[in-house]
Amino acid sequence: MNVPGLVLVIALAILYSSGFYLLLQRSLMRVVFGIVMLGHAANLSLMLTDAAITLPPLLGGRSGQISDPLPQALALTAIVITFGVTTYLLALAYRVWLGDANDEVPDDLEDRRIGRLSEPEDSQ
Amino acid sequence: MNLLLAGPFVIPLLGAGITLLLRRTPRSQQVAGVVTLAAVVADAAWLLSLTADGTVLTSHAGNWPAPLGITLVADPLAALLLTVSAVVLILVLLYAIGQDIGGLSRATPQTFHPLYLVLTAGVCLSFLAGDLFNLFVAFEVMLTASYALITQAPTRARVRASMIYTVVGLTSSILFLTGIALVYALVGTVNMADIAVKLDGAPDDLRMVLALLFLVVFGIKAAIVPMHFWLPDSYPVAITRISAIFAALLTKVAVYAIIRTQTLLFGGDDVSAVLLWIAIATMVVGIMGALVQDDINRIMSFALVSHIGFMIFGLALNTVAGIAGVMVYLVHHIVVQATMFLVNGLVRQFVGHTSLRSIRGLTAVSPALAIYFFLPAVSLAGIPPMSGFIAKVALFQAGVEVGGWLTWVAIGAGLLTSLLTLIAIFRVWTRAFWGTPLPDMLTARAELKRGPDAAGLRMMTATTGVMVAVGVLVALLGGPLVDLSFTAAHDLLDGGAYIEAVLPGGAS
């Protein structure tokens, strides 16, 4: 593997791991950043597949001379989708923040109720 | 042929545009929505009649032969699911319109109809997509519409629930994209038939990794245990029509994607044992969750999770009988699950909420409602002669044929789950439907009957009745349905007909 390729692979590893780390946070803004990072990671991994292909599908030229257009087309579509959904997610996070001025993921009330069932039941 | 195959997703997209233009006049918007979906139903039924004998129809966009161009494929499985989905979609839309007529839902946003039609387009394209990337785009179209739909009539709880839903959906989409990148890096194509041919020569461990990755991707969307946690938190919070359509279709589209990828691309046997364990866990954990819930909608959401396990079980068997069982189960479950959520919607309409703690004697308030609940409920539990019974018998028979201790454990888990489903349902029945109704429930009912909402309420009840009838029809048509499923399952496991139809002569 050539040097630029290796750099991309390392970048991918960093993006995926920090993306998933942020996704597991309790603050919604961090979750949104996590999604953004993961989205970039996925798009980047689409671009990387280019190197694995020996023949560009339409022309059949020698590898290394012409880059395969398909991953770029796919990445373009994926980028548009990621952008669109990120915008929506930001609007949603803002809405949650407007609702009660903090953006932490709440506890599940029903879960809490079932958890209490194992304790002595209060009479209905 | 091109138009026929493209119809199920082009028509709703056109309809979405038209309904967006008609947003100032709600009545014409409703008419346009129903006409659009009726056209989709007709198109899907036509496709089903053409493919019923096992024919695989293909259409190449711009006449670029596969694997270069975009390919649409309709085999019996896709056509069958397309038809059932279209029927459920139009019935839920009629229910929603009934809700709007009386103003029961208070301020339905004008964006409901366009979003609903975009969701339809996404669902239909998922069934027809012939390559992985189009499947991804179809999922995105469907999910993006669903992200927006789940926040309709936004309350604080709804916005929070939709945040969880959106983030989980996005995570699985991103993993899907990564999976596509890995497949493309390995075989240099995204066309599913082409991948199936080329992946045969790939190393076994790589195939296994890819199969598991796709299982995780679609497993999150299908809510199989242990990736089910998001579903009971988000579905019950949404308004009735939305949760009905989500419960009926979105998880099933993911199950369809699991079937398609695991049979066509990976040949199934790689992950069979994993699938069996997942099936057992999904069935048992899901139904355990349903047993302790208090809200009817949450009970149904957990039951939904547990019954996804049955479909995974059939797929794990990796035999013709097993896959055929999954198809029957899919058809049965799409209809029954939608009905259950619509009935819950009616309960909420009558009583104002769906918490078991303060509902009693619904049978006395509305006998029709009791029948509407009872029929799909016993079908869900698998009591003969309902459609759930036919589907479960088909699955268990397939399991007995395969044998092996793990399969027997799974069959045991399936029987236990059916029993526990029955208990969960009777818990709802005894608490909510039997007994003397609370006085304020009777007055609320009388007011509803006299009030301005009466016409809308009649339409909602009638639509739910039709949905219940469709559920019974599935049972009556059991014979032809099983025959069709066996034809389709045979082709699915063989894969030859599909690949031959997409890539004539195996050229690539």
Side-chain angles (χ1 to χ4, degrees), chain A residues 16 23 28 38 49 52-53 68 70-71 74 78 81 85 88-89 95-96 99-100 102 104 106 108 110 113-114, chain B residues 133 140 147 151 154 156 159-160 162-163 166-167 170-171 174 177-178 181 184-185 188 233 292-294 298 357:
Chain A
Y16 268 113
L23 202 62
L28 285 180
L38 284 177
T49 60
I53 305 306
D68 182 357
L70 191 65
L74 301 187
I81 292 175
V85 184
Y88 177 73
L89 213 53
R95 193 71 184 257
V96 172
D100 30 55
N102 80 64
E104 292 205 337
D108 188 340
E110 188 76 359
R113 187 189 68 76
I114 293 162
Chain B
F133 199 76
E140 274 318 297
Y147 300 151
T151 44
R156 201 181 285 180
V159 174
R160 291 227 172 232
S162 69
M163 192 82 198
T166 312
V167 167
L170 272 177
T171 312
I174 288 166
L177 205 53
T178 313
Y184 191 77
D233 279 343
V292 292
Q293 299 296 320
D294 175 55
R298 283 186 73 106
R357 280 168 182 240

Side-chain angles (χ1 to χ4, degrees), chain A residues 47-111:
Chain A
M47 296 306 296
L48 256 181
T49 60
D50 190 352
I53 305 306
T54 48
L55 295 176
L58 292 183
L59 298 174
R62 266 171 295 158
S63 69
Q65 288 195 331
I66 306 168
S67 67
D68 182 357
L70 191 65
Q72 306 193 2
L74 301 187
L76 197 58
T77 316
I79 287 170
V80 172
I81 292 175
T82 324
F83 264 138
V85 184
T86 307
T87 319
Y88 177 73
L89 213 53
L90 282 171
L92 212 55
Y94 178 64
R95 193 71 184 257
V96 172
W97 186 78
L98 271 191
D100 30 55
N102 80 64
D103 69 343
E104 292 205 337
V105 177
D107 291 320
D108 188 340
L109 292 179
E110 188 76 359
D111 266 2

Side-chain angles (χ1 to χ4, degrees), chain B residues 240-251:
Chain B
T240 305
R241 42 180 121 158
I242 309 295
S243 50
I245 213 66
F246 282 14
L249 292 183
L250 296 199
T251 47

Side-chain angles (χ1 to χ4, degrees), chain B residues 49 116 193 273 293 306 383 455 479 498:
Chain B
S49 70
Y116 192 81
Q293 299 296 320
S306 109
I383 305 285
Y498 186 98

